[in-house]
Amino acid sequence: MNTITVLLLLLGLHMAVTERIRPAIHSLAAQGILLGLLPFLAAPVPAWRAAGLGLATVAVKSVAIPLILTRAVNRLEIGQESESLLSTKTVILLTGALTLSAFVACARFGLSGQDRLGAAAGLTLLFSGLLMMTTRVKAVSQVIGFVVLENGIFLFGAASGSDFTLPIELGIFLDLFVAVFLMGILMLKIQRAFTHMDVRKIHTLKD
Amino acid sequence: MIPLLLIAPLAGLIMALLSRAPWQAALGTVLGSAGLLSGAVIQGVSPRVAAWGELLRLDELGSYFLLIVAGVHFLCSVYSYGYFRRELEGGGIGPSKVRMYHVWINLFVLSMVVVVCSHHLALQWVAVEATTLFSAPLIYLHGDRRGMEAAWKYLLICSVGIALAFLGIIFLSRAAGDVPLTYTALPLAAKRLDLRFLRLAFLFFLVGYGTKMGLAPMHTWLPDAHSQAPAPASAMLSGVLLNCALLSILRIAPAIPGPYASPLLILFGILSIAVPALLVAVQRDIKRLLAFSSIENMGIVVLGIGFGGAARPAALLHVLNHSVAKVLLFLVAGDLILRFGTQKIRHIHGILRETPLRGVLLFGGILAITGSPPFGAFWSEFGILVGGIAGGHMAVSLAYLVLLAILFGSFLMYGSDMVFGEGVPRKLAVPELWCLLPACVLLLASLWLGLHVPAGLYKTLERLSTVIAFS
């Protein structure tokens, strides 16, 4: 459990600082597989339920979503660079600060041991996902940020031992899948209409 | 009863998928919405709890919100037939897109029905996220750049907001321990839940669902999305979708200690009235103007809930009044935009001289939305003010009154320019009956709610306000 959490965290940090899009998508897929292992290790749930959840996680997070993103990258013929509004140095410093604050916040809340590590790693992923969404200028990177954020919440939930019934958890996966699917379609349409994917330049609507 | 409520939009969806011509899809939506409305009325007039499994359950509060959803959906689907017929004639849209409109609007309504019927808070979350996903295609239906930009912002900002609300659910489940996350079980166990996690949960609910509700400062996506969608979809987004997000916050209220929740609600409420009051004066686009007014009205409702006491039933009444008046305005605005070929306010004028009925509808709608007598919103806004003063929130109540006056002034300025100004001679289009009829119904409803608040309705709302009281 701890190993998986640490690996998830490292992959998240890789995505937060990397400037290339394809390796980021690969890290995202790897995170999906690791998250798929969580139900087997975390709560004492029946094996069939763990298998169902694990399979759903892997299918959505490490197969479907990376496929959609890779397709978008190929179709859009965008450059490999995932430009950020901030310099790499600033991003590394900020990510470090966010990681630290996540751990401090979890310690302040009196979580202990394994719980604390999982919750803190989850919060870190959430923060770095938000950071990616707000500072990256390419739409694909923003979607990656969104999925990282979702992964963080998923890990946080697993560490907190939240447990919903199966239809609800499948509903959560379905929502995430449809969200990324729609974002993928919109990316293609925006590319065709604006002939670029730089969200800095998409601001015709304002007051 | 609940299966019928789910089947009605599903039937509309299937007809839209199978249809060959736009009118067949429209007919499906009208029939589906009529089925939904009759189900909601049957459920609403004889208050009882309908349950289906452990996940869905329809109580009185849910029925109230369901009635608003079903009523607005019915009127909008009648309207959308006329609206898209006009747009097809004008060549602004193709038949396949009209069909897609009917597919997505039925899915959208289905997800809203699940929101109001959800018994489990996590299922409710799934349904609220689904409303975002199903309404995003409506926003970029026309496929132009502005629509795409609005839809992109809407998807990203609301998805993040909803993700934060999910964090709230995780905190809630942490606080609840082995108490199921249903809105009947949580209040019963409220006293022995972990207070720290409960407070965190409420904070994240308020920020997360508040984003979806368009509360300032998380409102930035709302004017874009609501101004770019086709008029009947804008009406649904403003008139009922915002209510669904509100209901999600109300469902958790009985488990949250009042002294913690009320100041937060008052803060977000007054902020959401102040931001539109400042921005409305510089609007040039009629639909953005209406969108800002939705932010304001959600602020008024949240403020009323935060005030507590007599303000709470008034806030629930305002939910209905806002839906009636705002849907009316969006429907009239859609008709005017088709007629004048622009959304720019300064290009729309002299309506009364050209077609008196449209002028009356628009001006009546503007009076209704700003809470002027004799329209319904006057009573609910007045009730919230009285509740605020009685609750000892003098400063906030005063600020509320001043901000409402500013908004009233701005709206009256725009309204009189558009309605009474000099008419520009143009080719008169025949008034589209299907467009104007639903708007007339709404204007009369608003007037009726203003001249005489039905005693039964008010009693029900008073009872409901004890259901959503903080523990």
Side-chain angles (χ1 to χ4, degrees):
Chain A
M1 176 84 186
N2 278 345
T3 326
I4 292 183
T5 309
V6 172
L7 281 175
L8 276 170
L9 190 58
L10 288 177
L11 287 168
L13 297 180
H14 168 246
M15 279 181 270
V17 297
T18 188
E19 284 174 355
R20 298 170 62 78
I21 291 178
R22 272 175 216 277
I25 296 178
H26 295 154
S27 288
L28 200 66
Q31 266 197 345
I33 295 177
L34 291 173
L35 285 172
L37 292 175
L38 276 184
F40 293 98
L41 304 168
V45 290
W48 63 270
R49 238 192 95 180
L53 281 180
L55 277 178
T57 311
V58 173
V60 170
K61 296 202 168 190
S62 72
V63 180
I65 290 177
L67 269 181
I68 293 173
L69 293 176
T70 311
R71 223 176 84 98
V73 173
N74 291 341
R75 284 274 294 277
L76 300 173
E77 293 166 358
I78 49 180
Q80 275 303 297
E81 301 296 308
S82 135
E83 291 162 66
S84 169
L85 296 172
L86 309 171
S87 71
T88 315
K89 233 187 251 168
T90 324
V91 171
I92 293 174
L93 276 176
L94 262 177
T95 313
L98 290 175
T99 314
L100 199 67
S101 54
F103 276 85
V104 170
C106 288
R108 282 279 299 278
F109 252 86
L111 300 172
S112 58
Q114 212 175 41
D115 270 8
R116 189 195 291 184
L117 182 65
L123 272 189
T124 308
L125 290 182
L126 191 156
F127 287 151
S128 61
L130 264 181
L131 189 68
M132 286 179 78
M133 289 185 77
T134 45
T135 61
R136 296 297 168 102
V137 298
K138 287 212 169 117
V140 178
S141 312
Q142 291 190 336
V143 179
I144 294 177
F146 172 64
V147 183
V148 171
L149 181 150
E150 287 273 343
N151 285 351
I153 290 178
F154 195 82
L155 179 59
F156 187 83
S160 311
S162 41
D163 181 32
F164 312 120
T165 51
L166 195 61
I168 293 175
E169 298 202 311
L170 293 180
I172 294 169
F173 283 117
L174 195 66
D175 272 347
L176 179 65
F177 171 69
V178 177
V180 175
F181 184 69
L182 279 175
M183 287 174 189
I185 292 177
L186 256 180
M187 270 193 274
L188 292 175
K189 290 197 176 215
I190 291 176
Q191 161 80 6
R192 225 173 289 147
F194 289 82
T195 65
H196 62 70
M197 268 322 288
D198 188 336
V199 283
R200 269 176 308 186
K201 293 176 193 135
I202 308 179
H203 47 62
T204 44
L205 298 173
K206 56 185 170 226
D207 297 306
Chain B
M1 183 48 70
I2 289 180
L4 171 70
L5 300 173
L6 298 175
I7 288 168
L10 270 178
L13 172 70
I14 291 168
M15 265 194 83
L17 284 172
L18 295 179
S19 64
R20 288 170 187 279
W23 68 266
Q24 291 170 340
L27 183 67
T29 307
V30 171
L31 291 179
S33 63
L36 181 66
L37 182 59
S38 32
V41 169
I42 294 169
Q43 171 67 26
V45 289
S46 61
R48 62 178 181 270
V49 176
W52 196 40
E54 284 175 3
L55 295 175
L56 298 178
R57 182 185 160 98
L58 193 57
D59 62 347
E60 233 184 336
L61 183 64
S63 296
Y64 178 60
F65 279 78
L66 177 69
L67 260 173
I68 299 178
V69 171
V72 167
H73 176 42
F74 178 68
L75 291 173
C76 284
S77 56
V78 171
Y79 174 90
S80 67
Y81 168 69
Y83 178 83
F84 283 116
R85 198 171 68 169
R86 274 281 198 79
E87 259 212 299
L88 280 168
E89 279 169 9
I93 199 170
S96 67
K97 282 196 170 152
V98 176
R99 254 189 59 201
M100 286 322 286
Y101 168 84
H102 289 285
V103 168
W104 289 111
I105 200 83
N106 279 300
L107 278 170
F108 178 40
V109 169
L110 181 68
S111 59
M112 284 195 283
V113 172
V114 178
V115 172
V116 297
C117 295
S118 291
H119 186 214
H120 196 286
L121 294 181
L123 177 70
Q124 187 165 39
W125 180 89
V126 170
V128 172
E129 170 73 3
T131 59
T132 308
L133 302 177
F134 293 146
S135 51
L138 292 172
I139 294 170
Y140 68 86
L141 190 78
H142 280 102
D144 56 1
R145 288 180 172 207
R146 299 160 67 82
M148 279 178 215
E149 179 189 342
W152 181 256
K153 263 196 203 170
Y154 176 60
L155 262 183
L156 281 196
I157 296 178
C158 285
S159 297
V160 171
I162 295 289
L164 294 181
F166 191 71
L167 210 53
I169 289 191
I170 292 173
F171 284 126
L172 196 61
S173 86
R174 180 105 194 179
D178 49 4
V179 179
L181 293 185
T182 59
Y183 65 72
T184 47
L186 278 178
L188 293 177
K191 291 283 174 279
R192 57 190 176 85
L193 301 183
D194 186 331
L195 197 59
R196 285 179 315 158
F197 287 109
L198 213 50
R199 286 179 173 172
L200 269 179
F202 182 70
L203 192 63
F204 278 97
F205 262 60
L206 193 56
V207 171
Y209 288 131
T211 306
K212 187 89 204 197
M213 247 180 103
L215 294 182
M218 297 87 75
H219 67 279
T220 47
W221 61 273
L222 194 146
D224 298 342
H226 291 213
S227 65
Q228 294 308 312
S234 302
M236 299 282 287
L237 286 171
S238 256
V240 285
L241 176 60
L242 303 182
N243 298 348
C244 289
L246 169 73
L247 180 67
S248 307
I249 298 176
L250 297 184
R251 284 300 191 196
I252 184 190
I256 306 298
Y260 174 75
S262 293
L264 280 172
L265 290 170
I266 292 175
L267 174 72
F268 278 106
I270 199 77
L271 208 58
S272 306
I273 306 174
V275 167
L278 297 176
L279 288 177
V280 151
V282 297
Q283 290 307 309
R284 281 167 299 185
D285 180 315
I286 183 168
K287 282 174 87 185
R288 285 183 82 83
L289 181 74
L290 298 181
F292 272 106
S293 151
S294 292
I295 300 173
E296 174 223 338
N297 281 289
M298 286 299 121
I300 292 175
V301 172
V302 167
L303 186 71
I305 308 265
F307 278 161
R312 221 166 259 158
L316 285 176
L317 182 62
H318 195 69
V319 170
L320 173 65
N321 281 326
H322 166 248
S323 292
V324 170
K326 185 52 57 63
V327 172
L328 160 65
L329 278 171
F330 266 114
L331 298 189
V332 178
D335 179 63
L336 289 173
I337 290 165
L338 282 188
R339 184 174 166 69
F340 284 82
T342 176
Q343 297 195 183
K344 294 250 161 51
I345 293 173
R346 65 191 162 88
H347 293 311
I348 302 176
H349 37 71
I351 302 167
L352 197 65
R353 191 171 300 179
E354 270 194 74
T355 45
L357 178 60
R358 286 191 182 99
V360 169
L361 285 172
L362 182 67
F363 204 70
I366 282 176
L367 287 180
I369 203 69
T370 49
S372 333
F375 293 98
F378 173 74
W379 293 113
S380 46
E381 289 183 1
F382 184 68
I384 290 168
L385 180 69
V386 170
I389 293 171
H393 305 280
M394 286 309 289
V396 184
S397 303
L398 191 66
Y400 164 70
L401 202 60
V402 171
L403 291 170
L404 283 189
I406 295 175
L407 282 157
F408 176 69
S410 304
F411 267 84
L412 212 60
M413 179 186 79
Y414 289 123
S416 45
D417 275 358
M418 285 189 283
V419 176
F420 302 114
E422 282 293 304
V424 180
R426 52 181 74 236
K427 225 170 76 183
L428 284 176
V430 187
E432 173 72 59
L433 182 69
W434 299 113
C435 284
L436 294 179
L437 203 61
C440 292
V441 171
L442 286 164
L443 187 69
L444 291 176
S446 183
L447 204 57
W448 181 59
L449 282 168
L451 295 175
H452 150 85
V453 179
L457 175 66
Y458 202 74
K459 265 200 193 102
T460 310
L461 293 181
E462 277 184 328
R463 202 162 56 237
L464 289 182
S465 67
T466 59
V467 174
I468 58 160
F470 298 96
S471 68

